[in-house]
């Protein structure tokens, strides 16, 4: 590849901005993703004020907006609340976690872990990042549109989304860019893994993270096109007068609506969830891959049931395509359909149980090091378990009748993606930071970050189950409007305070991130005594990654092999 | 309105004839989940303590093979299969498809709109009048066609759902504008109201009382305030209420 030979001639812009090096693009993805996560979290902290103290003026920022339509008197209007809700969901999922997990970790680590000099298509990789960037900019700009950004939830169910203000058009355009970005990126990862593995690196010698990224990419490639098509349909419904999702005879605000009609709003839900359920695994699987790497490394023993885990993750990927309608039990589904989707939903819990069982048995007989990445990785396990378990009563159509669209659902999926996936991503950042920057992160700041986050995040999401039992609907601007919700209003105050504590705890991470860049302890090439190929490169890895082409001699987790001088044998050591 | 004192930190009281199975599945699942999680958590903590890194302790490359996790996994699968096939399948099928005969039920239509619930009673003749979206006006929110003879005795209310206790109710659910979701917590009733679709649902109450209807699906900036009121009456109270509503019709509004 000629690109690799000319890198020293490139200027600053070509090296750090419009780079085609997978590592730079990975870092760009990760930084952009982290910024979006932070922004999305700030929206949530504002919403939590309204939820804890409904109708009271927002602190600090109220005076800036006193005369705005969205915040009369500094109090959050329902429109503003709905748009923050929609943007929080969209930003966290599509602009935060996926770009960080797949774009950031996938881009940076996959070529390194398989011993490749770069991605298979370096320029496509750059195109993928810039498509994501444009999508993100469109989403952010929608905050300045009259009427504000999208307000119909991150699910954008029509007809509400089609009747909504201009922000929804921006949302759809942004989504088309983001989906395109994910498609390009995932095709790249698949081809890279299939074509560019180092000599000797058979599929069953690949680190589990590579497997997780591989399956994730297939999910994206197969699930995103239907949503892309659906987003274009919805865009046409909004701007070109079609009615894919608009039934006949709508009367909005007392006036008959002039649309062609004949569409069906449930069609959107099928197309949306056909993506958005696999999307859940797109969020989880890279996180699971990261956790697996860290746990194998820090228990100092081989992963228990590596092959079983690989088969489970493949099966999980396959099953994720046939569970989508469990999000739609309340739309008038018949017995046969509901039985099918309940059954597949219960079946998909089995590979998840196997994965988590393998990880916990890996601890057995180990010599566990409690360093920063390991603490976050270990915390992932019970959090993911709570998230997974609470999916069961939602997957059973009968109990879903009561729990559907209550805070129970919000608690469930946040346990999967917030204390679950995000903790795993933090684990990954602490683990690979020395490889990327050449310096270690500060231990004390990291521990403060961990313990406060761990307590606070449970303080946010655990009471959501209580609210769910009490029957509090989701997406309520004034949470105590109904009698049954007044009984649990106290939990909202507790959750909001927890959320602000969690926000404050992230300052330790931010300080640590920048401070360590300058003042962190210098890291060796392999600071964790790890076995996989990325640690065989110089730190940080140069353009082209490996000084000489690596040859792989063994599986990824050869720790504590009896009779050897060190307790690990790297994959490339013959 | 219903007093908040009946509500707390667990499921609200169940006043329906069908809700017991929903509550039962929720309870069984949570006992199962807590048991599994506590067992798992104890093992987790035990591993972390026993196998922590310390001088003189070495990791083992191979660990003895144990069948226990396999048995536990099979146990979990069997339990899930039992809940699914033994409880959830039959309950769902009963709740969603085993409708009581129309003649023995209170038949109503529920037409959701931003931001309220229109309740439509067929009146004395038991036949719903024709509706047409073109006829919708402020005084005729569901667009009832008053030229249709069946519509003359129809009764509509906004957000006042009355029905008698101990008698099934069949409600045809639809929406005028966007997707809403009818949620009556104490009745364990929840179903989406989707424009362009007309979905029948049914329930039966076993206790009288006054309760609230909430909207469970985001439907716009009034989503929070889309409240309706349920009154589960004795047959006498219901008849009296109906008679009063019929009297209101007499001046024949045009």
């Amino acid at each position: 590849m000629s690109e690799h030979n000319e890198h020293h001639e490139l200027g600053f812009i070509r090296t750090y901005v419009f780079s085609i090096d997978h590592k730079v693009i990975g870092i760009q993805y990760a930084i952009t993703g982290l910024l979006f996560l932070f922004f999305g979290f700030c929206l949530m902290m504002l919403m939590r004020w309204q939820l804890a103290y409904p109708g009271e003026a927002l602190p600090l920022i109220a005076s800036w907006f006193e005369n705005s339509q969205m915040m009369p008197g500094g109090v959050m209007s329902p429109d503003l609340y709905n748009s923050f809700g929609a943007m929080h969901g969209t930003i966290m999922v599509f602009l935060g976690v996926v770009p960080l997990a797949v774009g950031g970790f996938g881009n940076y680590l996959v070529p390194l872990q398989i011993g490749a000099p770069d991605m298979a298509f370096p320029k496509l990789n750059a195109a993928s990042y810039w498509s994501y960037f444009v999508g993100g900019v469109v989403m952010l700009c929608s905050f300045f549109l009259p009427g504000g950004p999208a307000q119909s939830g991150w699910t954008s169910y029509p007809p509400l989304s089609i009747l909504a203000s201009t922000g929804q058009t921006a949302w759809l355009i942004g989504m088309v860019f983001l989906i395109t970005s994910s498609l390009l990126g995932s095709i790249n990862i698949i081809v890279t893994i299939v074509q560019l593995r180092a000599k000797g690196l058979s599929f069953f010698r690949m680190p589990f993270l590579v497997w997780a990224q591989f399956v994730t990419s297939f999910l994206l490639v197969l699930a995103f096109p239907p949503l892309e098509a659906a987003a274009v349909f919805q865009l046409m419904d909004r701007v070109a007068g079609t009615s894919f999702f608009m039934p006949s005879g709508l009367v909005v605000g007392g006036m008959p609506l002039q649309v062609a009609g004949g569409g069906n709003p449930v069609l959107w839900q099928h197309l949306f969830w056909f993506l958005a359920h696999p999307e859940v695994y797109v969020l989880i699987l890279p996180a699971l891959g990261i956790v697996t790497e860290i746990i194998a490394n820090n228990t100092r023993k081989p992963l228990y049931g590596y092959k079983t885990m690989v088969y489970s993750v493949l099966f999980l990927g396959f099953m994720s395509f046939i569970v989508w309608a469990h999000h739609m039990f309340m739309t008038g589904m018949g017995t046969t359909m509901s039985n099918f989707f309940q059954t597949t939903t219960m079946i998909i819990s089995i590979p998840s149980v196997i994965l988590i069982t393998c990880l916990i048995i890996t601890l057995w007989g180990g010599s566990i090091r409690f360093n920063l990445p390991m603490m976050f990785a270990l915390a992932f396990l019970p959090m993911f378990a709570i998230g997974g378990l609470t999916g069961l009563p939602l997957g059973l159509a009968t109990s879903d009748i009561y729990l559907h669209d209550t805070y129970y659902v919000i608690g469930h999926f946040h346990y999967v993606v917030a204390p679950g996936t995000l903790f795993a991503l933090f684990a990954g950042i602490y683990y690979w930071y020395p490889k990327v920057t050449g310096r270690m992160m500060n231990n004390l700041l990291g521990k403060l970050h961990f313990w406060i986050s761990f307590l606070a995040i449970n303080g946010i999401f655990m009471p959501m189950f209580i609210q769910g039992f009490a029957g509090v609907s989701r997406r309520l601007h004034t949470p105590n409007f109904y009698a049954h919700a007044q009984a649990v209003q106290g939990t909202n105050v507790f959750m909001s305070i927890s959320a602000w504590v969690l926000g404050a705890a992230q300052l330790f991470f931010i300080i640590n991130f920048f401070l360590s860049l300058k003042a962190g302890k210098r890291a060796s090439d392999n600071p964790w005594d790890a076995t996989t190929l990325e640690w065989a490169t110089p730190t940080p890895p140069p353009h082209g990654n490996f000084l000489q082409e690596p040859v792989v001699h063994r599986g990824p987790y050869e720790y504590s092999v009896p009779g050897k001088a060190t307790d690990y044998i790297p994959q490339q050591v013959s | 309105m219903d007093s908040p004192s009946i509500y707390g930190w667990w499921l609200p009281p169940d006043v329906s004839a069908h809700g017991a199975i929903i509550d039962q599945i929720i309870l069984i699942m949570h006992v199962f989940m807590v048991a599994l999680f506590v067992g798992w958590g104890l093992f987790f903590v035990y591993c972390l303590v026993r196998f922590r890194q310390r001088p003189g302790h070495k990791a083992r490359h191979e660990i003895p093979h144990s069948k226990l996790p396999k048995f536990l996994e099979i146990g979990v699968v069997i339990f899930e299969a039992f809940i699914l096939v033994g409880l959830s399948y039959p309950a769902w099928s009963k709740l969603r498809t085993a409708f009581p005969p129309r003649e023995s039920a209170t038949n109503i239509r529920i037409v959701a709109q931003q931001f309220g619930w229109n309740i439509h009673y067929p009146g004395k003749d038991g036949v719903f009048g024709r509706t047409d979206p073109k006829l919708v006006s402020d005084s005729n929110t569901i667009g009832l066609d008053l030229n249709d003879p069946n519509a003359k005795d129809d009764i509509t209310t906004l957000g006042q759902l009355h029905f008698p206790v101990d008698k099934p109710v069949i409600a045809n659910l639809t929406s005028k504008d966007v997707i809403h979701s009818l949620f009556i917590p104490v009745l364990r009733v929840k179903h989406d109201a989707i424009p362009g679709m007309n979905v029948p649902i049914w329930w039966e109450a076993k206790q009288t009382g006054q309760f609230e209807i909430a909207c469970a699906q985001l439907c716009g900036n009034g989503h929070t305030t889309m409240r309706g009121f349920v009154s589960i009456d004795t047959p006498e109270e219901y008849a009296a209420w109906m008679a009063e509503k019929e009297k209101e019709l007499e001046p024949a509004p045009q």
Side-chain angles (χ1 to χ4, degrees):
Chain A
M1 287 176 201
S2 61
E3 286 92 355
H4 297 132
N5 304 327
E6 60 191 55
H7 72 279
H8 49 276
E9 295 155 21
L10 301 176
F12 178 83
I13 299 266
R14 290 290 302 279
T15 315
Y16 295 108
V17 185
F18 294 106
S19 173
I20 51 171
D21 179 354
H22 74 100
K23 297 185 294 296
V24 177
I25 295 171
I27 294 167
Q28 287 176 327
Y29 259 118
I31 299 286
T32 322
L34 281 170
L35 287 173
F36 273 117
L37 282 176
F38 184 70
F39 180 70
F41 186 74
C42 289
L43 295 181
M44 193 61 220
M45 289 201 287
L46 292 176
M47 290 166 81
R48 287 246 54 112
W49 177 267
Q50 167 68 19
L51 290 169
Y53 310 110
E56 287 181 33
L58 288 161
L60 306 172
I61 63 164
S63 54
W64 308 346
F65 295 99
E66 247 164 303
N67 299 319
S68 88
Q69 214 185 334
M70 289 296 219
M71 231 193 274
V75 179
M76 191 177 274
S77 69
D79 280 329
L80 189 66
Y81 182 85
N82 286 347
S83 62
F84 277 14
M87 294 316 283
H88 168 74
T90 309
I91 287 172
M92 290 313 219
V93 172
F94 293 107
L95 292 167
V97 175
V98 174
L100 182 57
V102 182
F105 283 98
N107 248 313
Y108 197 94
L109 292 173
V110 165
L112 285 172
Q113 288 202 323
I114 63 171
D118 203 322
M119 284 287 200
F121 308 116
K123 284 178 179 158
L124 193 71
N125 204 9
S128 154
Y129 171 76
W130 288 104
S131 178
Y132 157 61
F133 188 82
V134 171
V137 168
V138 172
M139 288 278 178
L140 281 196
C141 287
S142 71
F143 278 91
F144 301 103
L145 288 172
Q151 295 176 8
S152 313
W154 79 286
T155 52
S156 283
Y157 282 180
L160 183 64
S161 56
I162 293 166
L163 304 169
S165 66
T166 338
Q168 184 67 25
T169 305
W171 188 89
L172 289 163
I173 294 170
M175 283 303 287
V176 170
F177 276 101
L178 296 174
I179 295 168
T180 307
S181 155
S182 285
L183 282 174
L184 299 180
S186 46
I187 288 168
N188 214 344
I189 289 181
I190 291 172
V191 176
T192 306
I193 293 173
V194 172
Q195 293 289 343
L196 298 185
R197 277 169 293 127
K199 198 163 163 241
L201 187 70
S202 62
F203 271 96
F204 277 116
R205 282 179 174 178
M206 293 196 312
F208 187 72
L209 175 65
V210 178
W211 271 110
Q213 292 281 354
F214 191 55
V215 175
T216 302
S217 300
F218 268 103
L219 297 185
L220 287 170
V221 164
L222 297 175
F224 253 141
L227 185 69
E228 183 140 33
V232 173
F233 285 169
Q234 192 179 109
L235 197 58
M236 284 162 72
D237 273 11
R238 284 182 59 87
V239 299
T242 58
S243 60
F244 291 101
F245 306 121
M246 295 289 263
S248 308
L250 291 187
V251 182
V252 178
M255 295 294 287
L257 199 66
Q258 300 303 323
V259 292
N264 187 338
V266 179
L267 173 62
W268 165 267
Q269 297 189 21
H270 281 291
L271 292 169
F272 180 84
W273 288 115
F274 186 76
L275 158 89
H277 197 86
E279 179 81 5
V280 173
Y281 295 95
V282 169
L283 304 173
I284 298 167
L285 292 183
L288 196 73
I290 290 168
V291 164
T292 306
E293 297 296 302
I294 294 171
I295 287 186
N297 175 254
N298 287 304
T299 53
R300 312 307 294 163
K301 62 184 284 294
L303 196 60
Y304 178 85
Y306 165 80
K307 273 199 180 176
T308 315
M309 286 183 76
V310 170
Y311 290 129
S312 295
V313 85
L314 288 169
F315 183 59
L316 192 75
F318 171 74
M319 289 302 292
S320 72
F321 284 102
I322 46 175
V323 298
W324 80 90
H326 68 208
H327 297 267
M328 298 163 61
F329 286 137
M330 296 306 119
T331 54
M333 197 178 285
T335 312
T336 316
M337 283 276 276
S338 102
N339 287 354
F340 175 77
F341 283 105
Q342 293 185 71
T343 311
T344 53
T345 305
M346 288 303 123
I347 291 174
I348 206 172
S349 72
I350 298 166
S352 320
V353 171
I354 293 175
L355 286 167
I356 205 160
T357 311
C358 285
L359 284 176
I360 193 171
I361 297 181
T362 299
L363 301 175
W364 189 270
S367 172
I368 303 168
R369 301 190 303 205
F370 292 95
N371 50 32
L372 273 177
M374 187 62 168
M375 288 166 81
F376 277 95
L378 288 173
F380 166 88
L381 296 177
M383 298 298 104
F384 179 71
I386 294 176
L389 285 170
T390 50
L392 295 174
L394 296 170
L396 293 164
T398 310
S399 41
D400 189 50
I401 292 175
Y402 185 78
L403 297 172
H404 189 87
D405 271 337
T406 64
Y407 261 88
Y408 192 93
V409 178
I410 306 194
H412 154 67
F413 72 73
H414 276 92
Y415 259 101
V416 176
V417 291
T421 298
L422 274 176
F423 268 34
L425 294 176
F426 275 127
I429 292 171
Y430 283 108
Y431 187 65
W432 280 290
Y433 187 90
K435 175 53 65 183
V436 177
T437 64
R439 288 176 188 272
M440 308 295 285
M441 284 181 98
N442 183 287
N443 221 19
L444 176 69
L445 288 171
K447 286 199 169 155
L448 283 170
H449 175 219
F450 172 78
W451 283 111
I452 302 175
S453 295
F454 183 73
L455 294 175
I457 209 160
N458 283 291
I460 305 173
F461 299 118
M462 197 51 89
M464 285 190 179
F465 298 124
I466 296 167
Q467 293 198 336
F469 292 133
V472 182
S473 299
R474 47 194 297 204
R475 295 166 171 168
L476 292 179
H477 161 259
T478 309
N480 56 351
F481 187 76
Y482 295 93
H484 59 266
Q486 279 158 20
V488 292
Q489 175 60 14
T491 57
N492 268 324
V493 179
F494 180 76
M495 287 151 75
S496 297
I497 293 171
S498 301
W500 300 321
V501 171
L502 180 67
Q506 303 319 300
L507 296 178
F508 291 114
F509 172 74
I510 296 168
I511 294 168
N512 199 351
F513 192 90
F514 290 106
L515 194 71
S516 302
L517 214 52
K518 280 267 166 278
K521 210 175 78 191
R522 288 224 176 259
S524 65
D525 287 351
N526 190 358
W528 310 111
D529 292 342
T531 50
T532 43
L533 286 179
E534 76 271 32
W535 306 103
T537 62
T539 289
H543 206 154
N545 295 345
F546 295 89
L547 299 181
Q548 66 243 33
E549 215 175 294
V551 179
V552 171
H553 298 278
R554 60 180 60 73
Y557 307 113
E558 290 299 318
Y559 289 103
S560 300
V561 180
K564 298 283 173 186
T566 54
D567 71 345
Y568 68 107
I569 315 172
Q571 283 188 286
Q572 80 285 359
V573 170
S574 57
Chain B
M1 214 345 60
D2 46 346
S3 90
S5 61
I6 63 167
Y7 300 111
W9 283 31
W10 183 240
L11 302 172
D14 170 32
V15 303
S16 73
H18 70 265
I21 181 72
I22 296 178
D23 293 7
Q24 197 187 356
I25 293 180
I26 291 178
L27 184 67
I28 292 176
M29 286 312 293
H30 282 86
V31 170
F32 165 73
M33 284 150 60
V34 169
L36 207 61
F37 186 72
V38 168
W40 183 92
L42 290 175
F43 179 73
F44 181 63
V45 173
Y46 174 75
C47 285
L48 295 185
V49 175
R50 180 169 162 196
F51 299 109
R52 69 189 185 278
Q53 195 182 48
R54 56 194 186 271
H57 176 78
K58 277 207 164 104
R60 281 148 72 183
H61 184 70
E62 299 285 346
I63 61 164
H65 192 71
S66 163
K67 289 230 158 76
L68 186 66
K70 198 167 270 176
F71 288 137
L72 280 174
E73 271 158 21
I74 292 170
V76 168
V77 170
I78 291 171
F79 180 81
E80 281 181 15
F82 162 71
I83 298 285
L84 185 66
V85 180
L87 296 179
S88 191
Y89 278 12
W92 179 266
S93 144
K94 176 164 178 279
L95 296 176
R96 290 300 198 228
T97 50
F99 280 82
R102 287 240 169 221
E103 312 80 69
S104 68
T106 310
N107 286 282
I108 55 171
R109 291 178 67 229
I110 300 178
V111 184
Q113 68 176 47
Q114 288 174 327
F115 299 98
W117 305 95
N118 295 288
I119 319 291
H120 182 184
Y121 292 84
K124 276 201 185 100
D125 63 358
V127 184
F128 290 107
R130 206 176 71 81
T131 59
D132 185 338
K134 289 192 199 76
L135 298 173
V136 168
S137 68
D138 285 348
S139 58
N140 183 2
T141 49
I142 60 167
L144 199 59
D145 181 0
L146 292 174
N147 294 321
D148 177 8
N150 291 328
K152 299 242 189 275
D153 60 350
D154 284 15
I155 289 163
T156 57
T157 74
L158 185 57
Q160 301 291 333
L161 172 56
H162 282 250
F163 55 87
V165 72
D166 292 329
K167 185 181 176 188
V169 177
I170 298 179
N172 271 34
L173 193 57
T174 188
S175 164
K176 279 159 64 179
D177 38 44
V178 304
I179 298 175
H180 303 272
S181 189
L182 178 81
F183 181 30
I184 311 170
V186 290
L187 277 174
R188 306 293 188 264
V189 164
K190 184 180 286 150
H191 205 285
D192 286 0
I194 300 169
M197 288 173 76
N198 210 337
V199 185
I201 57 171
W202 75 279
W203 67 80
E204 185 178 324
K206 56 177 192 194
Q207 267 179 45
T208 58
Q210 319 288 316
F211 307 100
E212 286 174 335
I213 307 173
C215 181
Q217 183 64 268
L218 179 65
C219 56
N221 59 15
H223 169 54
T224 304
T225 53
M226 189 165 164
R227 178 164 56 189
F229 299 98
V230 179
S231 179
I232 307 173
D233 304 332
T234 60
E236 299 75 44
E237 283 168 348
Y238 180 68
W241 179 78
M242 197 44 96
E244 195 184 309
K245 284 284 159 191
E246 277 161 5
K247 216 174 345 164
E248 284 171 19
L249 280 180
E250 262 158 40
Q254 287 302 316

